Amino acid sequence: MRSLAVFAGLALLGAMAFTIFSFSAAPSEQPVAQAEPFTETLQERLKRLPGDYRGWAELASQYVDQARITGDPSYYTKAEGAIATAAKLRAGDDAVLTGQAALAAGRHEFADAVRLAECAIRANPYGAAAYGVLADAKTQLGDLRGAQRAVEEMMGLRPGVAAFARASYAAELRGDLAGARKYLELAESDAWSPADVAYARYYQGELALHSGDLTTAADRYAKALQVYPAYPSALAGQARTAALAGRLAEALALYDTVVERLPLPQYLIEQGETRLKAGQTPDWTLLKAQRKLFQAAGVRDDLTWAEFEADHGDPALAVKHARAEYARNPNLVAADALAWALFKAGKPAEALPYAKKATATGWRNPLLTYHRAKIEQALGRSVTVDAGFDPTLPALARFS
């Protein structure tokens, strides 16, 4: 879901650099050359000042960002080491607690993320970053009102790209597409780095895509790549629009580039589905290897495997994963995953209450709408199934 990606868009440029500027005052009677600014990476600073607990916390948060940006879960292990060092130095500091919360959220331990973020807020009620993690985690736990309150607090403390992006997602989950677009426009206006501009434009494209407006979606993805050509999410967006428009050869060429740069499970599944649509045989080898890597790094992600097994594997296994995910994180997407898994396992009556929960907020997600319609249809109800939805490409309707 989008909220897990928020920090990634904010850290794409120079995520591992911490720069310090130092200027010397020149004697007034003698002109001298301008002093060059002194730059130092965060790692270099920590070698020089190993007791800088906030520096260690920042390094941990940057490692979490790198795990999301690169798809390399080994960064979570590095983050764990950095935040452990910070906690030994100053366990109750709000920056340390926020770093611990960010790591928990990155590993999909959202209940722990809420607890740690709330501890950070008690330590420092003015820490906007902690409210951001709290909003993300509460969204994943299905507490949309709590997430909205956290977003409002963050907006009051530090309105900017990170806050506007979260406000956009909260509005979208309520079915307020105009509000979601407005906040993304504010995020784009506030952004100063190419990565942040690209991030805002990319999610403008996602909103258009999920509204069925492929032309606008393609335009926003292209404009994201204009300012940040190395942004794989926007390239994946272009692959989605090509696939949904029936340009399968173009889509597959784009997906080859995307997964070479960033082999996230979402992109690998999208690539596999597009291959199926093109009459080719998908290769799930890399997907399964990524699953093992994420598990080894302590990431719990039953959601991805519930969705994958329901669409491409064993429905009984899908139900098992979906129940586990929903028990931990009873959000809209987990409810949909459980509903669809139960439906594919031949249990539409049991599936319907979860499908209703997934669609209860007004969120205009075409995949959730399609799943509920198919479940109600199986129960003999008179419903209209969206003829424009392509059931052979379900992963393309999911958020990356």
Side-chain angles (χ1 to χ4, degrees):
M1 290 179 69
R2 186 202 310 184
S3 54
L4 293 179
V6 167
F7 289 121
L10 309 179
L12 281 166
L13 288 180
M16 302 309 293
F18 180 83
T19 304
I20 301 168
F21 294 91
S22 174
F23 299 92
S24 300
S28 58
E29 62 272 13
Q30 284 189 329
V32 297
Q34 175 90 24
E36 291 294 325
F38 169 68
T39 63
E40 182 181 49
T41 67
L42 181 52
Q43 291 94 328
E44 290 169 345
R45 175 181 173 82
L46 291 172
K47 287 181 181 179
R48 183 170 58 85
L49 299 171
D52 181 3
Y53 54 90
R54 284 184 169 250
W56 285 108
E58 173 65 16
L59 182 61
S61 294
Q62 290 180 358
Y63 281 141
V64 171
D65 287 338
Q66 285 297 296
R68 294 167 179 156
I69 295 164
T70 65
D72 181 354
S74 68
Y75 279 109
Y76 288 124
T77 304
K78 295 179 181 180
E80 185 175 23
I83 203 64
T85 300
K88 287 179 182 178
L89 293 167
R90 190 69 62 90
D93 180 76
D94 68 289
V96 176
L97 290 163
T98 300
Q100 290 174 320
L103 176 58
R107 284 176 159 169
H108 296 192
E109 298 291 351
F110 298 114
D112 285 344
V114 166
R115 175 180 58 80
L116 290 162
E118 288 177 339
C119 287
I121 290 166
R122 285 194 293 271
N124 176 17
Y126 304 102
Y131 283 106
V133 179
L134 182 62
D136 294 343
K138 281 186 173 289
T139 298
Q140 301 301 336
L141 291 171
D143 182 4
L144 299 186
R145 290 184 180 179
Q148 179 64 35
R149 288 193 295 269
V151 170
E152 290 170 355
E153 291 286 351
M154 189 180 188
M155 292 275 285
L157 290 167
R158 191 187 302 166
V161 176
F164 291 140
R166 289 178 170 90
S168 170
Y169 191 43
E172 185 182 359
L173 292 179
R174 297 192 302 270
D176 181 6
L177 295 185
R181 281 191 290 268
K182 179 192 74 173
Y183 283 120
L184 286 177
E185 288 167 0
L186 289 171
E188 182 181 358
S189 297
D190 184 75
W192 61 268
S193 74
D196 285 353
V197 174
Y199 175 83
R201 291 177 179 177
Y202 165 71
Y203 274 111
Q204 290 168 10
E206 290 289 272
L207 280 177
L209 184 77
H210 289 237
S211 298
D213 186 353
L214 298 184
T215 301
T216 299
D219 174 74
R220 301 317 295 168
Y221 297 141
K223 283 184 167 57
L225 289 167
Q226 283 177 0
V227 295
Y228 196 75
Y231 193 23
S233 294
L235 196 63
Q238 289 189 322
R240 290 188 198 111
T241 57
L244 292 170
R247 304 192 306 273
L248 300 180
E250 177 187 340
L252 287 172
L254 288 166
Y255 275 124
D256 285 344
T257 302
V258 170
V259 300
E260 183 178 349
R261 294 181 185 178
L262 188 59
L264 291 178
Q266 168 77 16
Y267 300 150
L268 292 167
I269 295 171
E270 290 180 20
Q271 180 190 48
E273 289 183 354
T274 306
R275 285 177 175 169
L276 282 168
K277 182 76 173 178
Q280 301 177 15
T281 302
D283 183 357
W284 304 117
T285 304
L286 183 55
L287 174 67
K288 293 174 181 178
Q290 282 290 83
R291 177 184 184 180
K292 292 179 180 178
L293 288 173
F294 276 93
Q295 287 176 330
V299 179
R300 300 180 68 181
D301 184 13
D302 284 294
L303 178 62
T304 295
W305 306 111
E307 294 170 336
F308 175 76
E309 293 292 345
D311 289 327
H312 304 290
D314 181 353
L317 189 55
V319 171
K320 178 181 178 182
H321 282 299
R323 288 195 189 282
E325 181 70 26
Y326 189 79
R328 293 197 313 275
N329 308 311
N331 57 59
L332 303 181
V333 175
D336 171 71
L338 181 51
W340 192 239
L342 288 166
F343 169 76
K344 294 300 286 284
K347 301 176 181 179
E350 190 177 347
L352 185 57
Y354 297 104
K356 287 182 175 179
K357 177 172 182 178
T359 55
T361 68
W363 184 19
R364 301 176 190 178
N365 183 305
L367 183 66
L368 274 60
T369 302
Y370 173 79
H371 284 171
R372 177 170 174 174
K374 292 297 289 184
I375 290 167
E376 291 191 335
Q377 191 178 62
L379 293 171
R381 301 187 179 186
S382 178
V383 294
T384 300
V385 178
D386 182 4
F389 182 81
D390 188 345
T392 65
L393 298 171
L396 277 64
R398 295 190 174 105
F399 282 95
S400 60

